[in-house]
């Protein structure tokens, strides 16, 4: 259990650092690497998606703790984009989820389709 | 097995879709990756919305380090050791705060908005290019002497901007780029010219001759010319009157005559080349309502010259202005506001003098009906019996991804661009399209030490848009000059007609000599004021500058009265004058409503309406009831009086100004008062005035309830909107409450235009002091605390002292909010 959590935490850090250094493209790249390395692990794609989401939320809300007006600006930003605030936040979460899940699932399937379904 | 296959297929499809939408966007959705990335996307500028306390950057081409200190109002004070370094740093700091605004202005001025907004922007871009603005900028650039300091300043500024653009980290890319899904452009020296062209377009592309022609089509030439005269009925000119001021030049308005059938076509043609938007809809230039005035030491409380300026322009977020100080010890020390992208301070002060502008409103644009060889695809045009080839320029409009959206061929005669309107080929001559040297003018002006020197430098380089340039210096001199290129037209003509293009006899023969410009130096009256009124008394010297619709007498009356009444003006008085809600216009018109009501058949509504106006103090303050009724009554009065100018659809084709209405009020039995829908001549002035007041009262009761119910407050009917440049409401400040109304010195409510900057300067010989504000903030980042932080102050009319340190050490440490060190890039 501890080992699983540690792996998940490391994966989260990898997503965060990758995004910080290379931008959003790092999400499918890290997820694909994770899928290739762990084709047999249980719920490979789901874990990748969860880690990517957590990484992005951390990158967003840690600055909020230090004073960046992320939440209030999000409300204005959604108004600027003419979408409800919940739609913006949903997209903000769904995008890394979709990228990471699909990249990890695909990579795992390519590497070892028989074992990645666990 | 099927599940696995389906899952794999779903993963492929989802990944493909997510990558596609992430990288390219889909339809109106911008690329989501660039947008939603929590570090490098739209959230990046939010996370970095405040300038870091300390920062450093390297700029290629700097000769020595530059020290930039931001004060606690976000104003950068640039301390450099050479002028090119100072302008390089200026480019860097302006880009740091306003990059998107600069880029947007350039795209607009070059007709390249389609590259950001796609086909929807094509009409706007076509207008810009059809007017020949990008071509004119290229010609101006080609004419610049590259050995001059102006050129060096332009190049240095561009290098500074590009140093910032090249060093941009993804999280520094302004939010608007993410929303549009585009990337910042590099800055070129020509972009400064594009910017000045754009400003000139705003302030001079107002071909409002159409109103007079439309009126001629309804009421004949003589009546129309009287309704739209060349001179203001009310004379309170910029150059002080020789006699008692103000002077009312009332004339008897001739009755409506036979319609001029040819005029309607000309009016349509002129309207087809008019700009879209509020100004065109309003039909005159009075919303460009700026004020400046200066008081000589003899009339100021502290014995120093004082100067105030509040240029009225579109109120936008970010603001059109950016505040900055440039210091090069022993060479340059100038403070003021620049338009982001302009390589220099446009309005402000140095150690010796202060200056301010208002728009002259001069007519610097004429049309010529050309004779062409082919009505569909002309290649030649005829001048003095000979055919000349048209110059052709192919304009290509690109879309967001570089795809070709449209291709046009714009034709030019030697006068300017040629347009096909209503079956006629019309060319245009416009001072904006001709050589000018604005950068030189501002560069020199920043160094000047006396009023005369300043005005002469402006006159030698600043040609368009013509401005009433007011200047005061520490030695106590004050001066004003309407500066710009004013065309000399063929004898016996003015700029209100469409000229015959087939002869050179129709051409301008030059520009007015500077000695003929309206100007005044150290007048006896001890003050000078301009508020877009007619610059010079036509009885003293008449030369056509534009028709009276370009000039507004009301604010000139307001400010001159305030200055006349106060022989001991203080800085605080100057500030109060800028936001005075008192209206001389109201004082002149209200008695006519009251007298007419007194003589009318008793009516309870009329009595209540008259009581409101009687008790009104003539002020447009926030909770004022009288101002609401008065403005509605004036609107009804215009509707009821100028019914002769209603077209077949019931819409009025043109509306004479309120000073013409005031003239008509002196003629109680003029046929203009009569309602044209009734066969007999039966209405008089007082009948129409009473009818207008009653209609206004009844309509307001219907709309807002009884006057005592609390909804008749001026601030509930007229508010200020400061709109985001992209028109995004969430990034705008809307429905703001402040004092002021039509014809007052602070005429912001009800319009998108208003005092875009307020400055008061005390030219103390021991050291100049200044106070200022503008409706916005220094940062262009909507997430920044400095995006709109000055608006609350601006609404109250308060000003902040401008810190004007001579050296970095002189800026108090407690007032320094951030520092930026710019170092020369190491030689490779």
């Amino acid at each position: 259990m501890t080992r699983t959590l540690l792996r998940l935490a490391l994966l989260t850090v990898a997503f965060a650092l990758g995004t910080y250094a290379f931008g959003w493209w790092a999400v499918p790249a890290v997820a694909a690497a994770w899928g290739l390395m762990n084709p047999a692990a249980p719920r490979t794609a789901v874990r990748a998606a969860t880690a990517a989401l957590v990484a992005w939320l951390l990158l967003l809300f840690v600055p909020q703790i230090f004073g960046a007006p992320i939440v209030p600006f999000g409300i204005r930003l959604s108004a600027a984009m003419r979408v409800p605030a919940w739609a913006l936040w949903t997209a903000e979460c769904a995008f890394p989820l979709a990228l990471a899940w699909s990249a990890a699932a695909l990579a795992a399937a390519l590497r070892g389709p028989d074992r990645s379904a666990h | 097995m099927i599940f696995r296959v389906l899952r794999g297929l779903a993963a492929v499809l989802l990944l493909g879709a997510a990558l596609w939408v992430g990288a390219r966007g889909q339809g109106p959705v911008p690329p989501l990756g660039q947008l939603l990335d929590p570090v490098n996307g739209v959230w990046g500028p939010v996370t970095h919305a405040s300038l870091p306390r300390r920062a450093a950057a390297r700029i290629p081409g700097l000769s020595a380090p530059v020290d930039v200190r931001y004060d606690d109002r976000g104003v950068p004070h640039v301390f450099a050791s050479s002028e090119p370094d100072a302008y390089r740093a200026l480019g860097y700091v302006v880009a740091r705060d306003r990059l998107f605004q600069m880029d947007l202005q350039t795209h607009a001025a070059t007709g390249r908005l389609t590259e950001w907004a796609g086909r929807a922007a094509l009409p706007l871009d076509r207008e810009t290019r059809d007017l020949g603005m990008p071509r004119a900028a290229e010609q101006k650039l080609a004419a610049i002497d590259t050995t001059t300091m102006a050129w060096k300043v332009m190049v240095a500024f561009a290098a500074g901007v590009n140093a910032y653009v090249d060093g941009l980290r993804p999280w520094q890319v302004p939010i608007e780029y993410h929303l549009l899904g585009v990337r910042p452009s590099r800055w070129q020296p020509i972009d400064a010219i594009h910017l000045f062209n754009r400003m000139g377009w705003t302030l001079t592309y107002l071909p409002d001759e159409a109103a007079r022609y439309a009126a001629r089509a309804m009421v004949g030439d003589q009546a129309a010319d009287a309704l739209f005269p060349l001179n203001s009925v009310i004379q309170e000119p910029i150059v002080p009157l020789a006699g008692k001021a103000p002077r009312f030049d009332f004339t008897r308005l001739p009755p409506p005559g036979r319609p001029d059938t040819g005029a309607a076509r000309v009016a349509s043609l002129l309207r087809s080349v008019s700009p879209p938007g509020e100004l065109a809809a309003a039909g005159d230039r009075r919303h460009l309502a700026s004020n400046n005035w200066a008081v000589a030491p003899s009339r100021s409380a502290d014995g120093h010259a004082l100067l105030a300026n509040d240029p009225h322009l579109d109120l936008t977020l970010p603001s059109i202005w950016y505040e900055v100080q440039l210091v090069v010890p022993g060479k340059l020390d100038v403070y003021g506001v620049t338009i982001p992208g302009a390589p220099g301070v446009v309005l402000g002060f140095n150690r010796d003098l202060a200056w301010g502008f208002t728009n002259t409103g001069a007519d610097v644009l004429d049309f010529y009906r050309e004779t062409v060889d082919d009505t569909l695809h002309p290649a030649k045009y005829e001048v003095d019996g000979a055919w000349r080839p048209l110059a052709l320029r192919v304009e290509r409009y690109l879309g967001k991804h570089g795809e070709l959206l449209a291709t046009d061929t714009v034709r030019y005669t030697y006068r300017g661009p040629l347009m096909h309107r209503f079956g006629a080929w019309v060319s245009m001559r416009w001072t904006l399209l001709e050589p000018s040297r604005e950068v030189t003018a501002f560069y020199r002006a920043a160094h000047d030490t006396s009023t005369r020197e300043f005005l002469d430098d402006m006159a030698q380089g600043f040609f368009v848009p013509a401005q009433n340039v007011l200047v005061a210096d520490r030695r106590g001199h004050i001066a004003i000059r309407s500066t710009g290129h004013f065309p000399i037209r063929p004898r016996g003509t003015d700029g209100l007609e469409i000229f015959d293009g087939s002869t050179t006899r129709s051409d301008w023969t030059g520009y007015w000599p500077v000695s003929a410009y309206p100007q005044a130096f150290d007048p006896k009256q001890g003050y000078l004021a301009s508020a877009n009124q007619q610059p010079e008394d036509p009885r003293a010297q008449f030369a056509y500058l534009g028709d009276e619709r370009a000039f507004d007498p009301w604010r000139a009356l307001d400010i001159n009265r305030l200055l006349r009444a106060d022989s001991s003006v203080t800085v605080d008085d100057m500030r109060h004058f800028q936001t005075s809600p008192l209206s001389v216009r109201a004082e002149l018109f209200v008695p006519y409503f009251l007298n007419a009501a007194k003589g009318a058949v008793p009516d309870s509504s009329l009595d209540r309406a008259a009581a409101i106006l009687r008790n009104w103090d003539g002020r447009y303050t926030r909770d004022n009831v009288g101002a609401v009724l008065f403005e509605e009554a004036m609107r009804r009065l215009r509707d009821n009086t100028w019914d002769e100018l209603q077209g077949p659809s019931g819409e009025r084709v043109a509306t004479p100004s309120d000073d013409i209405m005031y003239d008509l009020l002196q003629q109680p039995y003029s046929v203009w008062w009569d309602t044209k829908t009734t066969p007999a001549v039966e209405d008089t002035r007082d009948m129409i005035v009473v009818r207008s007041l009653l209609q206004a009262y009844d309509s307001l009761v219907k709309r807002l309830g009884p006057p005592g119910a609390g909804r008749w407050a001026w601030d509930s009917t007229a508010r200020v909107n400061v709109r985001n440049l992209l028109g995004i409401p969430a990034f705008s400040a809307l429905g703001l409450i402040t004092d002021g109304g039509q014809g007052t010195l602070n005429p912001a409510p009800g319009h998108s235009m208003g005092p875009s900057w307020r400055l008061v300067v005390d030219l103390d010989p021991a050291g100049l002091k200044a106070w200022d504000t503008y409706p916005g903030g220094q940062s262009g980042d909507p997430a920044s605390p400095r995006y709109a932080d000055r608006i609350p102050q601006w609404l109250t009319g308060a000003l902040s002292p401008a810190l004007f340190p001579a050296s970095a050490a002189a800026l108090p440490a407690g007032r320094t909010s951030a520092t930026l060190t710019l170092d020369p890039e190491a030689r490779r």
Side-chain angles (χ1 to χ4, degrees), chain B residues 218-220 222-224 227 253-259 644 670-672 676:
Chain B
M218 301 298 299
V219 297
Q222 201 193 355
L227 294 177
L253 290 176
R258 258 212 337 234
E644 291 82 356
S670 168
V671 293
W672 288 97
K676 84 172 179 182

Side-chain angles (χ1 to χ4, degrees), chain B residues 291 293 310 312 555 558-559 562 577-578 580 743-747:
Chain B
N291 310 303
W293 61 87
D310 53 297
H312 291 217
R555 285 170 297 106
D558 287 331
I559 189 58
L562 289 167
F577 293 168
Q578 284 183 325
S580 167
T744 68
L745 287 165
N746 186 34

Side-chain angles (χ1 to χ4, degrees), chain B residues 303-360:
Chain B
H304 312 148
L306 304 174
L307 178 140
N309 184 207
D310 53 297
H312 291 217
L313 292 165
D314 258 327
L315 301 179
T316 59
L317 283 173
S319 165
I320 185 171
W321 302 113
Y322 182 79
E323 199 167 328
V324 68
Q325 182 189 5
L326 301 178
V327 183
V328 178
K331 288 184 180 164
L332 175 72
D333 194 350
V334 62
Y335 187 113
V337 284
T338 180
I339 303 170
V345 169
V346 174
L347 299 170
F349 50 89
N350 59 26
R351 295 279 162 199
D352 295 297
L353 52 79
W355 70 94
F357 290 177
T358 65
N359 200 37
T360 304

